[in-house]
Amino acid sequence: MTTDILRNSLETICDLANGYLENLDRRGDSWISLTSLVDHAGALNPAARDKIVMCVYNITRESSISTWQTTMSAKPPSAPGDSFAVVGPPLYLDVHVMFMANFMEKNYSDGLAALSRLIGYFQQTPWFNRDNAPALDPAIDKLTLEFENLTPVDVNYVMGMLGTRYFPSAFYKMRMLSYNAPAMLGRAYAVSAPDLRAAP
């Protein structure tokens, strides 16, 4: 498994959504930019102006799948004394993504239109796999995008955390990325049953 599945999944979705919007309204520049809104000093990112800004605002562990149990190699021992390879349990993550229509002044309505089309795209394409998204890393089986309902208080907190003022935005949960490194942590040996047959 590669170690950049987070980047790969976000860039793939960004490229596909960009292609969809460009087919609807060609403007000679990308509609969506996977970037930050501000730099570390708080200055606005000029490359994000008049774009739908795609950015990650949280990463959480998927709670519907338990990963507490240590897993072992699927290959059983072939002879007495052989061992299992003990590996770490997989980690399943959900990525919370914001799409902000960062369009200002006379272009504000253009941003609303682009955001509306983007929501429509994710409504008709709620999941991605290698069939409809060939650029996905082979380690990714399937990704789904779920629209998230944030309260005004939650939205205000996210905007403050990202260092920006409010612009029309849509929030999605991307489920789920599986981190399942094959590195061996140790070995476990099979327990053999004692021979209870009576001696002749």
Side-chain angles (χ1 to χ4, degrees), residues 105-127:
E105 301 170 351
K106 64 180 182 179
N107 296 325
Y108 182 83
S109 60
D110 292 338
L112 293 176
L115 185 62
S116 177
R117 294 170 187 148
L118 180 66
I119 293 172
Y121 172 65
F122 289 141
Q123 185 277 327
Q124 68 186 35
T125 315
W127 50 265

CSV table of all heavy atoms in Angstrom, one decimal, residues 105-127:
chain,number,residue,atom,x,y,z
A,105,GLU,N,-17.6,39.9,-4.7
A,105,GLU,CA,-18.1,41.1,-5.4
A,105,GLU,C,-19.0,40.6,-6.6
A,105,GLU,O,-19.9,39.8,-6.4
A,105,GLU,CB,-17.0,42.0,-5.9
A,105,GLU,CG,-16.2,42.5,-4.7
A,105,GLU,CD,-14.9,43.2,-5.1
A,105,GLU,OE1,-14.5,43.2,-6.3
A,105,GLU,OE2,-14.2,43.8,-4.3
A,106,LYS,N,-18.8,41.1,-7.8
A,106,LYS,CA,-19.6,40.8,-8.9
A,106,LYS,C,-19.6,39.3,-9.3
A,106,LYS,O,-20.5,38.9,-10.1
A,106,LYS,CB,-19.3,41.7,-10.1
A,106,LYS,CG,-17.9,41.4,-10.7
A,106,LYS,CD,-17.6,42.2,-11.9
A,106,LYS,CE,-16.2,41.9,-12.5
A,106,LYS,NZ,-15.9,42.8,-13.7
A,107,ASN,N,-18.6,38.6,-8.9
A,107,ASN,CA,-18.6,37.1,-9.2
A,107,ASN,C,-19.2,36.2,-8.2
A,107,ASN,O,-19.2,35.0,-8.3
A,107,ASN,CB,-17.1,36.7,-9.3
A,107,ASN,CG,-16.4,37.4,-10.5
A,107,ASN,OD1,-17.0,37.7,-11.5
A,107,ASN,ND2,-15.1,37.7,-10.3
A,108,TYR,N,-19.9,36.9,-7.2
A,108,TYR,CA,-20.5,36.1,-6.1
A,108,TYR,C,-21.5,35.1,-6.6
A,108,TYR,O,-21.5,33.9,-6.2
A,108,TYR,CB,-21.1,37.1,-5.1
A,108,TYR,CG,-21.7,36.4,-3.9
A,108,TYR,CD1,-21.0,36.0,-2.8
A,108,TYR,CD2,-23.1,36.2,-3.8
A,108,TYR,CE1,-21.6,35.5,-1.7
A,108,TYR,CE2,-23.7,35.6,-2.7
A,108,TYR,CZ,-22.9,35.2,-1.6
A,108,TYR,OH,-23.5,34.7,-0.5
A,109,SER,N,-22.4,35.5,-7.5
A,109,SER,CA,-23.4,34.7,-8.0
A,109,SER,C,-22.8,33.5,-8.9
A,109,SER,O,-23.4,32.4,-8.9
A,109,SER,CB,-24.4,35.5,-8.9
A,109,SER,OG,-23.8,36.1,-10.0
A,110,ASP,N,-21.7,33.8,-9.5
A,110,ASP,CA,-21.0,32.7,-10.3
A,110,ASP,C,-20.6,31.6,-9.3
A,110,ASP,O,-20.6,30.4,-9.6
A,110,ASP,CB,-19.8,33.2,-11.0
A,110,ASP,CG,-20.1,34.2,-12.1
A,110,ASP,OD1,-21.3,34.1,-12.6
A,110,ASP,OD2,-19.3,35.0,-12.5
A,111,GLY,N,-20.1,32.0,-8.1
A,111,GLY,CA,-19.7,31.0,-7.1
A,111,GLY,C,-20.9,30.2,-6.6
A,111,GLY,O,-20.8,29.0,-6.4
A,112,LEU,N,-22.1,30.8,-6.5
A,112,LEU,CA,-23.3,30.1,-6.1
A,112,LEU,C,-23.7,29.1,-7.1
A,112,LEU,O,-24.0,27.9,-6.8
A,112,LEU,CB,-24.4,31.1,-5.8
A,112,LEU,CG,-24.3,32.0,-4.6
A,112,LEU,CD1,-25.5,33.0,-4.6
A,112,LEU,CD2,-24.2,31.2,-3.3
A,113,ALA,N,-23.6,29.5,-8.4
A,113,ALA,CA,-23.9,28.6,-9.5
A,113,ALA,C,-23.0,27.4,-9.5
A,113,ALA,O,-23.4,26.2,-9.7
A,113,ALA,CB,-23.9,29.3,-10.8
A,114,ALA,N,-21.7,27.6,-9.4
A,114,ALA,CA,-20.7,26.6,-9.4
A,114,ALA,C,-20.9,25.6,-8.2
A,114,ALA,O,-20.8,24.4,-8.4
A,114,ALA,CB,-19.3,27.2,-9.4
A,115,LEU,N,-21.2,26.2,-7.0
A,115,LEU,CA,-21.4,25.3,-5.9
A,115,LEU,C,-22.6,24.5,-6.0
A,115,LEU,O,-22.7,23.3,-5.7
A,115,LEU,CB,-21.5,26.2,-4.6
A,115,LEU,CG,-21.6,25.5,-3.3
A,115,LEU,CD1,-20.4,24.6,-3.0
A,115,LEU,CD2,-21.9,26.5,-2.1
A,116,SER,N,-23.7,25.0,-6.6
A,116,SER,CA,-24.9,24.3,-6.9
A,116,SER,C,-24.6,23.1,-7.8
A,116,SER,O,-25.1,22.0,-7.6
A,116,SER,CB,-26.0,25.2,-7.5
A,116,SER,OG,-27.1,24.5,-7.8
A,117,ARG,N,-23.9,23.4,-8.9
A,117,ARG,CA,-23.5,22.3,-9.8
A,117,ARG,C,-22.7,21.2,-9.2
A,117,ARG,O,-22.9,20.0,-9.5
A,117,ARG,CB,-22.8,22.9,-11.0
A,117,ARG,CG,-23.6,23.8,-11.9
A,117,ARG,CD,-22.8,24.5,-12.9
A,117,ARG,NE,-23.5,25.6,-13.6
A,117,ARG,CZ,-23.0,26.7,-14.1
A,117,ARG,NH1,-21.7,26.9,-13.9
A,117,ARG,NH2,-23.7,27.6,-14.7
A,118,LEU,N,-21.8,21.6,-8.3
A,118,LEU,CA,-20.9,20.7,-7.6
A,118,LEU,C,-21.8,19.8,-6.7
A,118,LEU,O,-21.6,18.5,-6.7
A,118,LEU,CB,-19.9,21.4,-6.8
A,118,LEU,CG,-18.9,20.5,-6.0
A,118,LEU,CD1,-18.0,19.7,-6.9
A,118,LEU,CD2,-18.1,21.4,-5.1
A,119,ILE,N,-22.7,20.3,-6.0
A,119,ILE,CA,-23.6,19.5,-5.1
A,119,ILE,C,-24.4,18.5,-6.0
A,119,ILE,O,-24.6,17.4,-5.6
A,119,ILE,CB,-24.5,20.4,-4.3
A,119,ILE,CG1,-23.7,21.3,-3.3
A,119,ILE,CG2,-25.6,19.6,-3.6
A,119,ILE,CD1,-24.6,22.3,-2.6
A,120,GLY,N,-24.8,19.0,-7.2
A,120,GLY,CA,-25.6,18.1,-8.1
A,120,GLY,C,-24.7,17.0,-8.5
A,120,GLY,O,-25.1,15.8,-8.7
A,121,TYR,N,-23.4,17.3,-8.8
A,121,TYR,CA,-22.5,16.2,-9.2
A,121,TYR,C,-22.3,15.1,-8.2
A,121,TYR,O,-22.4,13.9,-8.5
A,121,TYR,CB,-21.1,16.8,-9.6
A,121,TYR,CG,-20.1,15.8,-9.9
A,121,TYR,CD1,-20.1,15.0,-11.0
A,121,TYR,CD2,-18.9,15.7,-9.0
A,121,TYR,CE1,-19.1,14.1,-11.3
A,121,TYR,CE2,-18.0,14.8,-9.3
A,121,TYR,CZ,-18.1,13.9,-10.4
A,121,TYR,OH,-17.1,13.0,-10.7
A,122,PHE,N,-22.1,15.6,-6.9
A,122,PHE,CA,-21.9,14.6,-5.9
A,122,PHE,C,-23.2,13.8,-5.5
A,122,PHE,O,-23.2,12.7,-5.0
A,122,PHE,CB,-21.4,15.2,-4.6
A,122,PHE,CG,-20.0,15.7,-4.7
A,122,PHE,CD1,-19.5,16.9,-4.2
A,122,PHE,CD2,-19.0,14.9,-5.4
A,122,PHE,CE1,-18.2,17.3,-4.3
A,122,PHE,CE2,-17.7,15.3,-5.5
A,122,PHE,CZ,-17.3,16.5,-5.0
A,123,GLN,N,-24.4,14.5,-5.8
A,123,GLN,CA,-25.6,13.8,-5.6
A,123,GLN,C,-25.8,12.6,-6.6
A,123,GLN,O,-26.3,11.5,-6.3
A,123,GLN,CB,-26.8,14.8,-5.8
A,123,GLN,CG,-28.2,14.2,-5.5
A,123,GLN,CD,-28.8,13.4,-6.6
A,123,GLN,OE1,-28.6,13.8,-7.8
A,123,GLN,NE2,-29.6,12.4,-6.4
A,124,GLN,N,-25.3,12.8,-7.9
A,124,GLN,CA,-25.5,11.8,-8.9
A,124,GLN,C,-24.3,10.9,-8.9
A,124,GLN,O,-24.3,9.8,-9.5
A,124,GLN,CB,-25.7,12.4,-10.3
A,124,GLN,CG,-24.4,13.2,-10.8
A,124,GLN,CD,-24.7,13.9,-12.1
A,124,GLN,OE1,-25.8,14.4,-12.3
A,124,GLN,NE2,-23.7,13.9,-13.0
A,125,THR,N,-23.2,11.3,-8.2
A,125,THR,CA,-22.0,10.4,-8.1
A,125,THR,C,-21.6,10.4,-6.7
A,125,THR,O,-20.6,11.0,-6.3
A,125,THR,CB,-20.8,11.0,-9.0
A,125,THR,OG1,-21.3,11.3,-10.3
A,125,THR,CG2,-19.7,9.9,-9.1
A,126,PRO,N,-22.3,9.6,-5.8
A,126,PRO,CA,-22.0,9.6,-4.4
A,126,PRO,C,-20.9,8.7,-4.0
A,126,PRO,O,-20.4,8.8,-2.8
A,126,PRO,CB,-23.3,9.1,-3.8
A,126,PRO,CG,-23.9,8.2,-4.8
A,126,PRO,CD,-23.5,8.8,-6.2
A,127,TRP,N,-20.3,7.9,-4.9
A,127,TRP,CA,-19.2,7.0,-4.5
A,127,TRP,C,-18.3,6.9,-5.7
A,127,TRP,O,-18.6,7.2,-6.9
A,127,TRP,CB,-19.7,5.6,-4.1
A,127,TRP,CG,-20.7,5.0,-5.1
A,127,TRP,CD1,-22.0,5.0,-5.0
A,127,TRP,CD2,-20.4,4.3,-6.3
A,127,TRP,NE1,-22.6,4.4,-6.1
A,127,TRP,CE2,-21.6,3.9,-6.9
A,127,TRP,CE3,-19.2,3.9,-6.9
A,127,TRP,CZ2,-21.6,3.1,-8.0
A,127,TRP,CZ3,-19.2,3.1,-8.0
A,127,TRP,CH2,-20.4,2.7,-8.6
